């Protein structure tokens, strides 16, 4: 029960009171919740009860907001590739080159999925080298015309040592993505970028590394359609492989144009707490008088029990049709 004081405020009588409410988040221009070393993107609710002749009661609760990044869109289905070569010198002697070529199966992923890395290593030097891959996160904070960055490393995989004069390769080596923040690319103050870094560890010399930029999204890879046939692995080159994928994965339309009835029956999204843990959301404006638990851990979309499915080499639509429109 409550009554009006005549001053535009309501006074609560003794007892339990509940006030249901809701509000609509903006449909665009809003960034994903993020807790970083030098800054954050944070959303919270704050409530206060005024108590005459004593201290007011205040509480504050944060919640996670996610700006959608659909990795099913065409630009995120393209593979990312890179290569590098290095020659070692010792006094007046020059060894054979060490080379590395690598590519991912696509550019966009969701936490809980795995990045499939295919790589070729050639060691024509006189030293034993060790390959490994790491997921790198770069946080960039921009203010007053200056920027500051922080790099974090997540999941790492290490391959067998490669002896002098030998070659080796990775065929879809999986790198698991933990519950990290999605990429943040729509904020002018904070950016979060990711890359897979492949490194060849060389004793007594600088390591050889390449970066494969990837995007961590919020909408997982959709179930593949069941009407594709068995596909050959005779692929001329990576560019043709990408062309066939574009036929296989039709471009995702804008959210405003989605026909929800035409989408496959996918399970609802699941979430997991950020691997970097919780933070205290109190700040200088709270005057130290907030009651209740003020710890907060962002939660991000996460794919449980992900099973890697190798992408097909060809689609049923021939990317190089015969003259006249016939199928090859």
């Amino acid at each position: 029960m409550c009554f009006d004081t005549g001053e535009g405020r309501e006074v609560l009588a003794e007892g339990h009171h509940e006030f249901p409410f809701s509000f609509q988040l903006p449909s665009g221009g809003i960034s994903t919740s993020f807790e970083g070393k030098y800054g954050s993107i944070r959303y919270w609710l704050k409530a206060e009860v005024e108590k005459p002749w004593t201290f007011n009661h205040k509480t504050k609760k944060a919640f996670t907001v996610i700006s959608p990044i659909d990795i099913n869109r065409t630009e995120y289905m393209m593979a990312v590739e890179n290569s590098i070569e290095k020659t070692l010198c010792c006094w007046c002697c020059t060894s054979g080159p060490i080379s590395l070529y690598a590519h991912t199966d696509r550019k966009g992923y969701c936490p809980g999925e795995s990045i499939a890395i295919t790589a070729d290593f050639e060691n024509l030097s006189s030293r034993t080298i060790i390959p490994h891959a790491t997921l790198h996160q770069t946080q960039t904070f921009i203010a007053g015309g200056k920027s500051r960055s922080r790099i974090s490393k997540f999941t790492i995989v290490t391959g067998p040592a490669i002896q002098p004069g030998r070659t080796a390769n990775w065929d879809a080596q999986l790198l698991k993505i933990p519950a990290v923040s999605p990429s943040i690319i729509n904020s002018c103050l904070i950016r979060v970028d990711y890359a897979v870094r492949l490194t060849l560890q060389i004793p007594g010399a600088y390591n050889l590394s390449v970066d494969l930029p990837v995007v961590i999204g919020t909408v997982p890879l959709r179930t593949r359609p069941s009407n594709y046939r068995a596909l050959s692995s005779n692929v001329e080159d990576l560019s043709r492989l990408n062309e066939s994928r574009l036929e296989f994965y039709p471009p995702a339309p804008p959210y405003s144009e989605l026909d929800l009835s035409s989408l496959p029956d996918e399970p609802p999204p699941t979430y997991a707490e950020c691997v970097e843990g919780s933070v205290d959301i109190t700040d200088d404006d709270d005057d130290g008088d907030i009651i209740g638990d003020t710890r907060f851990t962002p939660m991000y979309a996460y794919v449980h029990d992900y099973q890697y499915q190798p992408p097909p080499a060809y689609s049923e639509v021939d990317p190089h049709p015969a003259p006249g429109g016939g199928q090859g």
Side-chain angles (χ1 to χ4, degrees):
M1 178 179 179
C2 61
F3 56 90
D4 194 339
T5 63
E7 300 176 357
R9 297 186 299 173
E10 294 182 343
V11 177
L12 300 179
E14 182 179 353
H16 178 79
H17 304 269
E18 292 186 2
F19 299 92
F21 67 93
S22 63
F23 55 87
Q24 182 71 40
L25 292 175
S27 58
I30 191 169
S31 298
T32 294
S33 297
F34 174 72
E35 298 293 336
K37 182 174 179 62
Y38 305 117
S40 63
I41 300 173
R42 188 179 297 165
Y43 306 87
W44 71 88
L45 300 173
K46 190 173 183 179
E48 180 175 356
V49 176
E50 294 186 5
K51 301 180 66 179
W53 312 110
T54 186
F55 294 107
N56 296 340
H57 278 183
K58 301 177 184 178
T59 189
K60 185 177 183 180
K61 294 294 181 183
F63 58 93
T64 305
V65 171
I66 295 178
S67 178
I69 299 176
D70 188 349
I71 64 170
N72 297 275
R73 298 187 64 83
T74 302
E75 60 266 34
Y76 300 133
M77 297 309 303
M78 302 288 287
V80 180
E81 62 176 333
N82 203 349
S83 62
I84 193 171
E85 183 176 288
K86 180 178 184 176
T87 300
L88 302 182
C89 296
C90 182
W91 297 100
C92 59
C93 300
T94 300
S95 72
I98 299 173
S99 62
L100 161 61
Y101 165 78
H103 70 82
T104 61
D105 57 320
R106 45 192 162 101
K107 183 176 183 179
Y109 302 88
C110 194
E113 296 178 349
S114 294
I115 302 171
I117 305 167
T118 299
D120 294 320
F121 311 105
E122 185 175 41
N123 180 18
L124 300 182
S125 74
S126 59
R127 308 182 193 185
T128 298
I129 60 177
I130 300 175
H132 57 82
T134 311
L135 179 64
H136 277 232
Q137 179 200 72
T138 302
Q139 304 173 9
T140 305
F141 304 85
I142 305 167
K146 299 180 180 180
S147 65
R148 194 171 186 180
S149 297
R150 181 199 184 201
I151 296 177
S152 299
K153 300 178 183 179
F154 300 97
T155 320
I156 181 172
V157 292
T158 302
I162 305 172
Q163 301 299 321
R166 303 296 295 273
T167 62
N169 64 78
W170 285 357
D171 183 12
Q173 171 66 58
L174 299 182
L175 183 68
K176 186 78 170 182
I177 304 172
V180 294
S181 162
S183 299
I184 298 178
I185 54 181
N186 63 344
S187 171
C188 60
L189 299 177
I190 296 177
R191 282 188 60 93
V192 178
D193 299 292
Y194 291 90
V196 176
R197 176 165 294 178
L198 268 78
T199 301
L200 289 175
Q201 186 175 349
I202 308 171
Y206 290 109
N207 294 337
L208 192 66
S209 298
V210 296
D211 284 349
L212 304 173
V214 295
V215 172
I216 304 301
T218 64
V219 180
L221 186 67
R222 297 191 184 98
T223 303
R224 289 178 177 161
S226 59
N227 60 347
Y228 70 91
R229 57 183 170 86
L231 303 167
S232 168
S233 60
N234 180 23
V235 182
E236 293 180 0
D237 53 32
L238 184 62
S239 62
R240 183 172 178 183
L241 176 60
N242 282 336
E243 289 177 3
S244 67
R245 287 177 181 170
L246 292 184
E247 298 289 350
F248 189 79
Y249 299 101
Y255 286 94
S256 60
E257 300 177 9
L258 281 177
D259 179 6
L260 299 181
S261 63
S262 66
L263 294 178
D265 185 16
E266 299 285 351
T270 54
Y271 298 88
E273 292 186 341
C274 180
V275 292
E276 297 189 273
S278 64
V279 295
D280 192 328
I281 62 171
T282 56
D283 52 41
D284 295 339
D285 295 335
D286 294 325
D287 301 325
D289 57 355
I290 298 293
I291 63 173
D293 185 9
T294 56
R295 303 295 299 181
F296 168 67
T297 306
M299 298 189 68
Y300 302 122
Y302 189 86
V303 180
H304 294 276
D305 302 321
Y306 174 73
Q307 297 294 324
Y308 169 70
Q309 300 180 39
Y314 296 99
S315 71
E316 293 198 14
V317 179
D318 189 349
H320 303 284
Q327 293 290 324

